[in-house]
Amino acid sequence: MADLLGGITARTVETDRLNVRVLEVAGRTGTPVVFVHGNVSSSLFWQRAMLDLPGEFRPLAVDLRGFGGTDPEPVDATRGVRDYSDDVAATMAALALGSAHLVGWSLGGGVVLQLLRDRPELARTVTLVNPVSPYGFGGTRGTEGELVDGSGAGSGAGGANPDFVRLLGEGDRTADSPLSPRQVLLSCYVKPPLRPELEDTFVESMLSTRVGEAHYPGDTVPADAWPGVAPGRSGVLNALAPTHFRLDDLPTVTPKPPILWLRGADDQIVSDTSLFDLAYLGSIGAVPGWPGEDSHPPQPMIAQTRAVLERYAAAGGRYDEVVFPDTGHSPHIERPAEFAAALRDFLGKE
């Protein structure tokens, strides 16, 4: 892989579910740290964070199904993100890792939380980096994640911008459109005016996303409620729909490993005013027909995550929240030294 940094190696791991591409740091044999990437990306986004870990840790980053070099198996969205979390567990088993420190970004945050929910014995610690809300993405209100409509309208694949999906599928590498992968990287993944050092690598990573109903964004079904579409049964955005993905029972997990929540203060993707939430876009006039604040308020994504983590702590767990100022959706890219220090400090205590 031409986009690998020095010291990073790649291999394909055969599991009992599918073949998974894994990045590693050459020669490391310490305590495993498993990194899980976000939506429309791949393990390539984790390389600097992997290299920055001290020598007593063994960093590994996986490509989720349908991204990077992992088999493009379809995503059964009716299982929420369990296709992804079960794949990660299978990869850990194939590599005989036992338990590991789990680090998940965005979608990957939901994946590692699902793994914690289903297989808590595999998690030494959990680090969440700008994670999706425990109540999914779109279609809910309030800190308890109440569905705005029983169909899940306002969430799922119908929330994807069709021009972005088209340009992603066409492999567009230009900056000609504000909805090209490159421009979305520069305007939403990081806070402008930052130009990441590995910008071209990240664009290639984004373009490794498989596009279609089985992958990104997924299928849709019509809905009577605004905005007229509801999540279907396949694909990544439907896997994050609150009708399929909910982790409000996370406080019941035993044992409860410590959780570190890292996030950028100016995230435009996962926030209480997300530019990717149809309800928020409706509230600012960007999506027509918005019924109003009373029935369709923007999803309070940060408040929802904090509410679930506070209940986790009240039930005997522990979490710490670190907010990086002047930072967007990707603190591991935007503030690599500070991110590495926060992660090292957390892992070093456990």
Side-chain angles (χ1 to χ4, degrees), residues 7-44:
I8 299 288
T9 63
R11 61 169 160 151
T12 297
V13 175
E14 183 177 346
T15 79
D16 60 8
R17 292 174 56 80
L18 76 174
N19 295 318
V20 176
R21 180 62 62 86
V22 177
L23 300 188
E24 299 175 87
V25 176
R28 294 285 189 91
T29 59
T31 305
V33 181
V34 176
F35 292 86
V36 184
H37 64 82
N39 195 12
V40 191
S41 65
S42 74
S43 58
L44 292 173

Side-chain angles (χ1 to χ4, degrees), residues 189-202:
Y189 282 39
V190 302
K191 182 179 179 180
L194 178 69
R195 300 294 295 255
E197 180 183 355
L198 300 179
E199 178 181 326
D200 288 343
T201 296
F202 296 150

Side-chain angles (χ1 to χ4, degrees), residues 39-119:
N39 195 12
V40 191
S41 65
S42 74
S43 58
L44 292 173
F45 274 77
W46 286 122
Q47 293 184 89
R48 176 52 56 193
M50 295 169 67
L51 291 168
D52 285 342
L53 275 182
E56 64 264 30
F57 296 106
R58 178 188 176 189
L60 307 100
V62 300
D63 284 342
L64 298 174
R65 63 172 59 196
F67 300 95
T70 290
D71 286 348
E73 296 298 314
V75 177
D76 180 358
T78 66
R79 304 186 69 232
V81 299
R82 280 190 170 96
D83 274 359
Y84 298 124
S85 59
D86 287 352
D87 291 347
V88 174
T91 306
M92 293 172 66
L95 293 170
L97 298 183
S99 62
H101 298 289
L102 305 176
V103 183
W105 168 46
S106 196
L107 161 66
V111 172
V112 299
L113 283 180
Q114 188 69 64
L115 188 55
L116 170 61
R117 168 63 183 80
D118 294 342
R119 299 285 304 277

Side-chain angles (χ1 to χ4, degrees), residues 4 13 26 46 49 53-54 72 74 110 132 138 171 205 219 221 242 255-256 277 279 346:
L4 295 183
V13 175
W46 286 122
L53 275 182
V132 65
S205 172
D219 62 331
V221 296
K256 292 181 173 63
D277 174 21
F346 176 61

